[in-house]
Amino acid sequence: VKMNSRKLRNLVYYQLAAEMWSEACSTLCSIQYIQAMCEASMSVQLQGLFTYASRVIPATFRDEESKFGVDTVQTFYRFFIRTVQALAAHSRMIEQPGLVIQMGANEPKNTLPEVQANEILVADGDARVWMQAANKAISVSPLSATLLGSTTTVRSSHISADGSLIATGSDNGDVQVWDAETGESVTLLTGHTTAVNSLKFIASTSTLVSVSSDCTARVWDEPTATCLCTYSGHTSPILGLSASPDGTLVASGSDDNEVHLWKVDSTAVKQLRGHSAAVRACSFSHDGKRLATASLDKTVRIWDVEAGTCLFVLEHIGRVYDVHFSSNSSKCISSSSFATCTLWDLDTAKPTENELEKEFKTGSGSCF
């Protein structure tokens, strides 16, 4: 497909506007069109075209022997996002001539992208794939979506309880909310000035809390893209957060070695002190009565939320980066340096000198 960028971008929109469903499906189901869009640095726009097409093409416009329909559009959309995922870490490789076609030839045998790609390579007199997979997949990848649009490192993410939305936090301070089904960016929340280290949906899909290295936590109303309030009680970057099961209370851990409990309207409730190094993670128990905190001081502390007192100290051999309760809150698992995950029985825990229940070695380096 050879045309200027504007025509390339608008072609599918014009076809859809004219309800030329067959033509729009044929364009989107062309590996040459996908290659041309990527070479023109318009992979983000192409994702938008796919998601827009999936909304406006009638669900009854199915595949037939003589034409493509919504089923094949979905097949090529999944191929496209798998291709972008595979090449995203390699700078501008996705924009290099012929690379998408090569990736298509590496798809499982007899899938539509693989058939189209090999037809093109044979027609060009070159049946050899330049970037050929050493172990070609025999089935289609389960990858669901690649979220395109963040301009800096994505540092944190969370999926809503109903699975419909995904939130991500980036090093530039942006919080983006995505449609989990289509991978399309639906909301951009701006306000943090540096990296968003953690974020979570609370109580519903409409309220989101984020914490940042700018020493603030923000509560957002996702549907209106507005910041409801800002908590500014910490004096150092905030690294981790958790929300109580009823969504009324937030715990935030910081580089100032403190854990703060505060309401979602930013009213301070308690400050939990005891850690001697940065608090990397917080986790409420499922009944909301206890809070676990993980710290670089090589300990996990279990707190009584109402009293604000430390119940147990769980000592590790390395820095602790994350902690979570089991579903009945009788156990917790922590992850730390030296590639170690540790399971603790809280029913038998003592204030100090606790013995671990199980230890899992995950390989080399640190476990997050």
Side-chain angles (χ1 to χ4, degrees):
V1 179
K2 293 183 179 179
M3 58 182 73
N4 65 46
S5 306
R6 183 178 60 81
K7 290 182 178 179
L8 193 67
R9 182 180 63 250
N10 292 337
L11 175 60
V12 175
Y13 281 123
Y14 290 151
Q15 292 170 335
L16 294 172
E19 298 186 1
M20 300 168 64
W21 310 134
S22 181
E23 289 80 358
C25 289
S26 294
T27 302
L28 290 170
C29 296
S30 165
I31 198 169
Q32 288 179 301
Y33 179 76
I34 296 173
Q35 174 70 66
M37 286 289 286
C38 290
E39 286 183 17
S41 305
M42 292 193 292
S43 56
V44 173
Q45 290 86 341
L46 180 55
Q47 182 167 15
L49 288 172
F50 271 112
T51 55
Y52 178 62
S54 68
R55 290 196 297 266
V56 300
I57 297 175
T60 54
F61 194 77
R62 317 299 297 190
D63 287 11
E64 293 180 4
E65 186 175 342
S66 60
K67 64 178 177 61
F68 294 137
V70 292
D71 306 296
T72 305
V73 169
Q74 283 301 309
T75 296
F76 274 85
Y77 176 52
R78 297 304 176 196
F79 160 70
F80 162 67
I81 58 180
R82 286 196 301 276
T83 302
V84 173
Q85 174 77 1
L87 299 178
H90 303 287
S91 185
R92 299 175 66 87
M93 280 185 67
I94 191 66
E95 300 164 13
Q96 299 305 308
L99 207 54
V100 172
I101 293 170
Q102 295 173 48
M103 295 293 289
N106 282 320
E107 286 288 288
K109 192 171 179 60
N110 295 325
T111 57
L112 283 170
E114 191 263 353
V115 170
Q116 279 195 22
N118 278 304
E119 286 176 352
I120 294 168
L121 291 172
V122 171
D124 287 345
D126 186 1
R128 174 180 58 85
V129 180
W130 302 334
M131 195 174 68
Q132 190 168 3
N135 297 295
K136 187 170 179 175
I138 59 174
S139 61
V140 175
S141 167
L143 175 66
S144 175
T146 301
L147 308 181
L148 300 172
S150 297
T151 57
T152 58
T153 299
V154 177
R155 190 165 293 275
S156 52
S157 62
H158 191 240
I159 190 165
S160 62
D162 64 3
S164 65
L165 296 175
I166 297 170
T168 60
S170 301
D171 271 1
N172 64 356
D174 287 348
V175 173
Q176 283 187 275
V177 181
W178 314 78
D179 185 303
E181 174 63 26
T182 65
E184 186 178 17
S185 178
V186 293
T187 309
L188 177 64
L189 308 174
T190 58
H192 287 299
T193 57
T194 54
V196 178
N197 296 314
S198 186
L199 43 70
K200 282 184 173 56
F201 288 99
I202 60 173
S204 69
T205 58
S206 63
T207 307
L208 182 68
V209 180
S210 59
V211 298
S212 169
S213 291
D214 64 10
C215 308
T216 68
R218 289 176 177 263
V219 181
W220 307 89
D221 180 59
E222 189 277 325
T224 61
T226 56
C227 179
L228 301 176
C229 61
T230 301
Y231 178 76
S232 305
H234 287 284
T235 58
S236 295
I238 308 176
L239 307 176
L241 76 94
S242 183
S244 61
D246 62 4
T248 61
L249 197 63
V250 177
S252 52
S254 169
D255 210 20
D256 59 15
N257 308 347
E258 296 183 351
V259 179
H260 291 191
L261 297 177
W262 46 280
K263 296 180 180 179
V264 290
D265 63 359
S266 76
T267 302
V269 177
K270 289 184 178 73
Q271 295 182 6
L272 309 180
R273 296 185 175 93
H275 285 295
S276 58
V279 180
R280 287 293 302 265
C282 308
S283 179
F284 276 96
S285 61
H286 294 276
D287 59 8
K289 295 180 179 179
R290 292 180 175 181
L291 179 74
T293 56
S295 171
L296 300 187
D297 66 7
K298 305 180 183 180
T299 69
V300 164
R301 287 178 176 259
I302 308 297
W303 307 82
D304 182 299
V305 172
E306 184 174 358
T309 56
C310 180
L311 301 174
F312 317 122
V313 179
L314 310 176
E315 296 181 355
H316 295 63
I317 61 172
R319 295 177 173 182
V320 192
Y321 297 100
D322 205 359
V323 63
H324 290 281
F325 283 97
S326 62
S327 58
N328 61 3
S329 302
S330 66
K331 301 180 188 294
C332 75
I333 190 165
S334 54
S335 54
S336 63
S337 51
F338 305 110
T340 304
C341 286
T342 310
L343 184 67
W344 304 87
D345 185 348
L346 301 181
D347 287 342
T348 61
K350 301 174 294 184
T352 58
E353 298 181 359
N354 287 285
E355 297 292 329
L356 59 90
E357 180 175 334
K358 289 182 181 178
E359 188 173 78
F360 308 92
K361 289 293 185 180
T362 60
S364 60
S366 299
C367 179
F368 292 88

